[in-house]
Amino acid sequence: YSENAKGNGKIISVGDELEKFIKYIKGAENGILAGWDKNTQLWKPYGSAQVTIGYGIVFKLNGKLNVVTPQMKDAISPYLNDTTKIRVTNQDMERELRTQISNGLINIKRDLNKLYGEGAYDNMKDKYKYAIYDLYHNFGPSGYKEGANLKEHKPINIRFIEAAVNNDLTGMI
């Protein structure tokens, strides 16, 4: 699934690995379904360190809107000053999650090919790409690769990424 996959090579695969990964993200980010209203079948923001909705979607970052799909922008923009009024359908939440994953993988492909050589991303197993996306999602677009230029004492995220690029399962553990 990818509405945004562009350029050469595959960015995100359709299939079982992707669906397993999305299920994992949903469980890891909000397995208890905080903010889900069973009666209205709508999502509302829930209490976390950041202004979050659904499956770990940080929709307000540094006071600005931080979503990518038009549906989420329309649902959230009018209520940025009073987030208690925000309500989002499950369909829109699902679309936002999948679009953020797709966009993240596009950025990861660009970054990994720049850091480790053209084709580094395309030669990786999909499950390794998704694991790196998990770092990207949690540490941010620059934080996940922080320390990549260090020659010694590389942080664990970089050791993991390098092991994934080299298909070194032992190095990922």
Side-chain angles (χ1 to χ4, degrees):
Y1 175 93
S2 175
E3 294 175 4
N4 296 316
K6 296 177 183 162
N8 298 328
K10 98 183 143 174
I11 301 297
I12 186 168
S13 298
V14 175
D16 291 342
E17 285 295 327
L18 174 61
E19 294 310 315
K20 285 181 198 173
F21 177 67
I22 289 171
K23 185 176 180 181
Y24 159 77
I25 286 287
K26 288 177 175 181
E29 294 295 334
N30 189 6
I32 63 169
L33 301 179
W36 175 247
D37 187 323
K38 290 182 214 173
N39 296 325
T40 63
Q41 298 286 293
L42 295 171
W43 288 98
K44 58 186 177 182
Y46 58 90
S48 71
Q50 299 169 313
V51 186
T52 307
I53 194 166
Y55 303 109
I57 304 295
V58 177
F59 64 85
K60 188 176 181 182
L61 195 59
N62 299 324
K64 295 182 181 176
L65 189 62
N66 186 48
V67 293
V68 293
T69 61
Q71 295 83 357
M72 288 290 278
K73 288 177 183 176
D74 291 346
I76 292 174
S77 292
Y79 307 109
L80 276 181
N81 293 326
D82 185 2
T83 59
T84 62
K85 294 181 178 180
I86 293 172
R87 299 295 182 269
V88 176
T89 67
N90 198 55
Q91 180 182 4
D92 289 344
M93 184 60 57
E94 187 81 21
R95 183 181 295 113
E96 179 73 20
L97 176 64
R98 289 174 180 268
T99 303
Q100 284 195 9
I101 291 170
S102 179
N103 289 351
L105 290 170
I106 289 168
N107 293 335
I108 290 166
K109 177 178 180 168
R110 180 200 62 230
D111 293 344
L112 295 186
N113 286 345
K114 183 177 178 184
L115 288 167
Y116 304 107
E118 197 61 39
Y121 179 90
D122 290 334
N123 293 328
M124 287 175 28
K125 294 180 180 181
D126 284 344
K127 62 184 175 182
Y128 299 164
K129 295 172 187 176
Y130 302 146
I132 293 171
Y133 175 81
D134 198 20
L135 292 171
Y136 179 92
H137 178 79
N138 287 299
F139 293 109
S142 56
Y144 86 101
K145 60 183 178 172
E146 199 167 284
N149 297 325
L150 296 175
K151 298 294 179 205
E152 296 180 27
H153 309 294
K154 292 186 180 191
I156 194 163
N157 57 313
I158 296 305
R159 292 193 312 259
F160 178 87
I161 291 170
E162 288 177 352
V165 167
N166 293 312
N167 198 27
D168 175 12
L169 184 59
T170 306
M172 286 186 263
I173 297 175

